[in-house]
Amino acid sequence: MESVVVAGVGMTDFGRFPGRTPASMVQEAARAALADAGVAPKEVEGAFCGTVFGGPGAGQRALKDLGLVGLPIVNVENACASSSTAVFEGVAWVRAGLAEVVLCVGVESMSGIAGALGPDEADLFGSMGVVWPAVYGLKARRHMTEYGTTPEQLALVAVKNRRHAAQNPKAQFQKLVTVEEVLASRPVCDPLTLLQCCPPSDGASAIVLMSEAQARRLGANGRPTVRIAGSAMRSGVFADQAQMGESITALTARQAYERAGVGPADVDTCEMHDAFTVGEILHYEALGFCKPGEGGRYVETGKSAIGGGGVAVNPGGGLLSRGHPLGATGGAQLAELTWQLRGEAGGRQVEGARVALAHTMGGTVYELESNVCAVHVLTV
Amino acid sequence: MSRTVVPADVFDPEAGLLFGSRCATCGAVHFPPINGCPDCFAASTDRIPLSPTGRVRSYTVVNLGFAGFPKGYPLVEVELPEGIVVLGQLAGVHDPGLLYSGMVVKVEAGPVRVAEDGEAMDGYRFAPVAGEG
């Protein structure tokens, strides 16, 4: 499969910015990504906009003031993986020859949202009071019962990702926390406490994708060229079927690894979907970084920390600490990994990173294990 | 009579039974009931009552939920003998220390939330079966 070049990346700070419109955040991120790529708006031949609550025409509304008019613009809703899906589509367009340069943006404005989010309240799950933290609370309890994973191991995920975010000026939370503070924070959905849950955030991200031919014409700017070597995306199967087979993450990752021609042992750093601490532990296992049941030990022994000897997971702080503006998250993961592969990640640099993996989950319609899992493998 | 949040084809509050669907062609069982069969693509399925008792596979206590739900409600993941997993609130147990995997529970009708106008809304929930598990 021919690789596609990640020519430029950009993102706003993530946090709570109640005065900012989604359009203004997209424009800031897109300007940064286009400048990073050295591309003028007129050279963009297609655009995708990922957002969950941004409403109809979010992409057209945000991009027109940058002069991005006339080109095909596609709005993408795929829950928390909306901008990961936008990039998946953008890669396909470049490979298919529909466009030499594609801009993929993602945005969410969540500061108006109070309380927990969950599946649609009209779904049976939602009407019974199953919110997202409860879904993950149930997963956490099962992992503890089945494998002996401890509350301290769960908390260590939050501590590690906060330590990484402390070196990321764009992260929503940069103040260090301890295991004791994480465990003593407000109970949300037992055994998960508040500091083990990602925040609702405001923010935008942008990625400029380019064909190999166009990248050669423009030249590499003296920087290492980052490529998307393989991408995969799946929707969830029925939950009862999923329990008998491999998880959506394991299946999607296998496809992405095969397409990129790499395996879990080749991955140096990974941005993964840690909406709740237990998610990261489950995904270490499903992505093949450790054996099933050993996710708690993986974080406890420090392997997933930067410089810990394993895969450095969520160097940008993850959803837990960078923040989680749903539609912007996938793009922010790819931006972080691009900085890592170029060696531009400053105090949170994963030394010598050559292969990186981005993993995003999104939503669930009742009866399905998940709506979407998207995995992109980046190389330099 | 209070309103219900669960569709009538999914739960019969008077009988206290949840319903699923079984494909007449391939036998696949799903909850909630589906009209066609997603496994073999047969156009019709039979609506069948599911076993009223099952075992708790996992549990949590929800302290931050949707508006209209009680504060600190236990939520359980219950595996029925048919192999179906159903999520629901657990009535009558508020101390998380008393919850455990393997606990035997039975489905029953009862209030699960309060509507915006203050009226209780009924659905299905689970209750521990005394002396079991």
Side-chain angles (χ1 to χ4, degrees):
Chain A
M1 190 175 270
E2 184 171 296
S3 55
V4 168
V5 172
V6 181
V9 299
M11 63 180 279
T12 63
D13 288 351
F14 281 6
R16 284 176 96 72
F17 314 116
R20 292 203 67 176
T21 62
S24 82
M25 293 191 285
V26 167
Q27 288 157 13
E28 180 188 330
R31 280 184 184 280
L34 290 168
D36 189 42
V39 163
K42 283 189 175 24
E43 295 173 89
V44 178
E45 296 175 333
F48 291 82
C49 177
T51 183
V52 180
F53 301 119
Q60 287 86 342
R61 181 172 294 113
L63 296 175
K64 67 181 170 57
D65 293 352
L66 298 176
L68 285 158
V69 292
L71 74 169
I73 297 178
V74 181
N75 294 295
V76 177
E77 185 284 306
N78 225 355
C80 305
S82 292
S83 56
S84 310
T85 305
V87 170
F88 185 82
E89 288 297 316
V91 165
W93 276 41
V94 171
R95 283 200 182 114
L98 287 170
E100 294 283 328
V101 180
V102 170
L103 173 67
C104 301
V105 298
V107 65
E108 216 68 61
S109 178
M110 301 177 75
S111 42
I113 295 172
L117 287 172
D120 191 326
E121 281 188 65
D123 274 10
L124 192 60
F125 251 4
S127 67
M128 290 296 109
V130 182
V131 290
W132 291 130
V135 171
Y136 279 90
L138 291 167
K139 286 178 197 277
R141 180 61 64 188
R142 279 189 69 192
H143 208 269
M144 291 165 78
T145 305
E146 207 166 330
Y147 297 114
T149 300
T150 65
E152 289 73 20
Q153 289 171 336
L154 292 172
L156 277 166
V157 173
V159 170
K160 168 187 70 75
N161 291 352
R162 185 63 65 85
R163 195 163 66 239
H164 293 173
Q167 299 296 323
N168 181 359
K170 292 187 177 299
Q172 183 164 355
F173 300 126
Q174 299 174 33
K175 186 173 163 284
L176 296 175
V177 291
T178 64
V179 167
E180 293 70 30
E181 285 167 335
V182 171
L183 293 176
S185 63
R186 188 154 61 93
V188 173
C189 288
D190 171 76
L192 302 176
T193 55
L194 187 66
L195 291 176
Q196 300 187 58
C197 306
C198 67
S201 316
D202 302 326
S205 59
I207 304 290
V208 177
L209 300 173
M210 201 177 274
S211 66
E212 291 281 357
Q214 182 72 7
R216 273 195 300 275
R217 280 195 288 275
L218 285 179
N221 255 342
R223 295 186 310 207
T225 301
V226 176
R227 294 180 170 84
I228 295 185
S231 298
M233 188 170 78
R234 290 178 63 92
S235 59
V237 298
F238 284 91
D240 49 351
Q241 296 168 341
Q243 282 150 19
M244 292 181 279
E246 288 180 281
S247 72
I248 186 170
T249 291
L251 293 168
T252 312
R254 180 175 311 143
Q255 210 169 23
Y257 284 137
E258 280 173 11
R259 288 175 177 171
V262 302
D266 300 312
V267 178
D268 299 305
T269 183
C270 170
E271 282 277 327
M272 64 163 71
H273 200 83
D274 62 334
F276 303 91
T277 49
V278 64
E280 187 168 309
I281 285 175
L282 292 167
H283 303 322
Y284 295 150
E285 299 171 12
L287 292 170
F289 300 161
C290 66
K291 293 192 183 120
E294 293 181 1
R297 287 283 297 155
Y298 198 73
V299 66
E300 189 177 46
T301 52
K303 287 210 161 53
S304 53
I306 295 170
V311 180
V313 173
N314 287 323
L319 283 56
L320 284 169
S321 282
R322 181 177 50 229
H324 185 28
L326 314 181
T329 280
Q333 292 176 316
L334 291 167
E336 174 65 22
L337 295 177
T338 300
W339 290 321
Q340 290 289 346
L341 293 176
R342 287 182 190 158
E344 296 175 356
R348 60 184 192 283
Q349 181 65 46
V350 178
E351 290 306 324
R354 309 278 305 168
V355 177
L357 184 143
H359 161 268
T360 332
M361 302 287 297
T364 193
V365 166
Y366 185 75
E367 247 211 326
L368 299 180
E369 59 173 334
S370 176
N371 285 357
V372 54
C373 176
V375 173
H376 297 283
V377 176
L378 284 74
T379 56
V380 69
Chain B
M1 189 183 151
S2 64
R3 285 173 286 176
T4 175
V5 294
V6 185
D9 68 328
V10 175
F11 181 62
D12 178 344
E14 287 180 14
L17 286 174
L18 290 164
F19 286 84
S21 58
R22 181 166 54 212
C23 175
T25 308
C26 76
V29 177
H30 283 277
F31 173 82
I34 309 175
N35 287 329
C37 179
D39 297 85
C40 75
F41 209 52
S44 67
T45 55
D46 299 321
R47 182 170 171 265
I48 56 160
L50 298 176
S51 307
T53 57
R55 281 184 187 272
V56 170
R57 214 174 57 159
S58 191
Y59 54 90
T60 184
V61 176
V62 182
N63 290 296
L64 181 72
F66 291 133
F69 282 87
K71 180 98 179 113
Y73 54 92
L75 198 72
V76 287
E77 185 177 85
V78 177
E79 184 162 12
L80 301 180
E82 291 87 346
I84 298 285
V85 174
V86 181
L87 301 182
Q89 293 178 33
L90 183 70
V93 178
H94 293 287
D95 176 2
L98 297 177
L99 296 165
Y100 60 93
S101 296
M103 184 176 199
V104 179
V105 294
K106 186 172 190 296
V107 70
E108 64 173 33
V112 294
R113 69 179 301 180
V114 176
E116 278 178 23
D117 61 11
E119 191 185 353
M121 299 188 78
D122 281 349
Y124 71 84
R125 56 188 200 176
F126 293 95
V129 176
E132 292 280 349

